[in-house]
Structures are given as structure tokens and as C-alpha cells.
């Protein structure tokens, strides 16, 4: 990947539409007090939007801010695997594939159908040229992916098994 924006990160947290969610939440906050709109969910969504903003800038400093914020938020919200995925994605763009896989596997232990962890785990395993790991992530995609992803993953898995 020559352009870090090509990673599956964009798809992983359903960032598409997050700005619309934030706008709706802002409008709701004007109409209701914060207790009624759910402080924790709103804060988590806004913080994920900040993480994405830092990531999408793509500079060394913004990546470091992305990592620092994601690490702190993963401690504050240990059940939110989005922040753990972020940490894995930081290591993926730094080409620290083994470290990235450690975080994606942590996500998959809690959420075996997590799209980002599966896709980015697959990407990291391919970058490492590790067929055993590639097969592992392909099998997860076959099990949990969309119909299209399942077909593609199964085709690649069949090709690898014929070798």
C-alpha cells in the first residue's frame, strides 16, 4: 500500500456517514440535555471521528496523535474494539505487521465478525508473505464476510490450497 488511505480503515468503523451522525447528535443536543441523548455513546462517536480526522490527514504528527488518542480511548472504553482496531491500523501503516496482527487478533477474540480486523489482518499477512496467516483470515472472511467477500475469499483460499 503506497497510500495509507487505501487501507480498510475507512470502511472499518463505518466512517462514511459519521459526520451526518455528528450533525444529528449536535442538533439533538440543542433540543435535549446531554443525559437524554446518551453522553457515553455520543462521546465515543465524536472521539472516533477525531481519530479518523487525524488518520486521514496522513502526516507523521497526525498519525502519532491518532495513536495516542486511540490508546487512551481504548483504556477508557475497553469494550469498544474500534479504538483497538485503530491501534492495529497505526502499526499497519508503519509496516509493523506482527504488532498490527496482535491488535487485530485481540479484536477478533471479542468480535470474530469484525470486518476491519479480518480485512486488515489479511492485508498484513499478505505483506508478510505468510500463507498460513493469510488462510486464517480468509477462512474468517468466508465465515463472517459479506456474500461478495465470501466468494472472493473462498476463491483465493481454494487457489492457495491447490498450491
Amino acid at each position: 500500500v503506497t497510500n495509507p488511505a487505501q487501507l480498510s480503515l475507512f470502511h472499518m468503523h463505518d466512517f462514511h456517514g459519521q459526520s451526518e451522525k455528528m450533525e444529528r447528535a449536535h442538533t439533538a443536543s440543542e433540543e435535549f440535555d446531554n443525559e437524554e441523548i446518551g453522553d457515553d455513546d455520543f462521546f465515543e462517536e465524536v472521539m472516533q471521528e477525531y481519530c479518523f480526522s487525524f488518520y486521514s490527514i496522513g502526516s507523521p504528527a497526525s498519525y502519532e496523535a491518532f495513536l495516542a488518542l486511540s490508546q487512551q480511548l481504548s483504556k477508557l472504553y475497553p469494550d469498544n474494539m474500534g479504538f483497538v482496531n485503530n491501534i492495529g491500523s497505526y502499526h499497519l501503516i508503519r509496516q509493523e505487521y506482527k504488532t498490527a496482527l496482535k491488535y487485530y487478533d485481540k479484536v477478533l477474540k471479542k468480535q470474530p465478525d469484525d470486518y476491519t480486523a479480518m480485512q486488515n489482518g489479511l492485508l498484513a499477512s499478505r505483506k508478510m508473505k505468510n500463507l498460513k496467516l493469510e488462510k486464517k483470515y480468509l477462512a474468517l472472511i468466508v465465515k463472517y464476510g459479506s456474500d461478495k467477500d465470501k466468494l472472493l475469499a473462498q476463491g483465493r483460499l481454494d487457489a492457495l490450497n491447490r498450491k
Side-chain angles (χ1 to χ4, degrees), residues 120-139:
N120 285 347
L122 177 62
L123 178 60
S125 64
R126 284 183 177 164
K127 291 289 188 177
M128 294 170 58
K129 299 183 187 325
N130 186 324
L131 293 179
K132 182 178 177 183
L133 284 175
E134 183 176 353
K135 288 178 182 182
K136 168 188 166 181
Y137 292 104
L138 286 168

Side-chain angles (χ1 to χ4, degrees), residues 78-130:
D79 292 331
N80 185 325
M81 293 294 99
F83 299 123
V84 178
N85 264 326
N86 288 355
I87 299 167
S89 295
Y90 169 83
H91 291 288
L92 186 61
I93 60 174
R94 292 185 48 88
Q95 299 178 1
E96 299 166 350
Y97 303 121
K98 286 183 181 180
T99 305
L101 289 174
K102 178 179 98 171
Y103 287 98
Y104 296 134
D105 286 342
K106 182 177 180 179
V107 171
L108 291 168
K109 282 183 184 175
K110 283 195 170 191
Q111 297 175 348
D113 63 343
D114 186 276
Y115 178 82
T116 299
M118 288 185 293
Q119 291 291 335
N120 285 347
L122 177 62
L123 178 60
S125 64
R126 284 183 177 164
K127 291 289 188 177
M128 294 170 58
K129 299 183 187 325
N130 186 324

Side-chain angles (χ1 to χ4, degrees), residues 3-4 21 23-24 27-29 38-39 52 68 71 92 96 99 102 105 110 127 131 136 146 149 153:
N3 178 354
K21 280 185 185 178
E23 191 173 310
R24 285 193 308 270
T27 302
S29 69
D39 278 346
F52 178 67
Q71 287 172 327
L92 186 61
E96 299 166 350
T99 305
K102 178 179 98 171
D105 286 342
K110 283 195 170 191
K127 291 289 188 177
L131 293 179
K136 168 188 166 181
S146 68
D149 288 340

Side-chain angles (χ1 to χ4, degrees), residues 7-13 15 52 55 66 86 89 116 120:
L7 294 174
S8 294
L9 178 76
F10 186 77
H11 301 287
M12 77 181 191
H13 301 294
F15 284 121
F52 178 67
Y55 177 84
F66 169 74
N86 288 355
S89 295
T116 299
N120 285 347

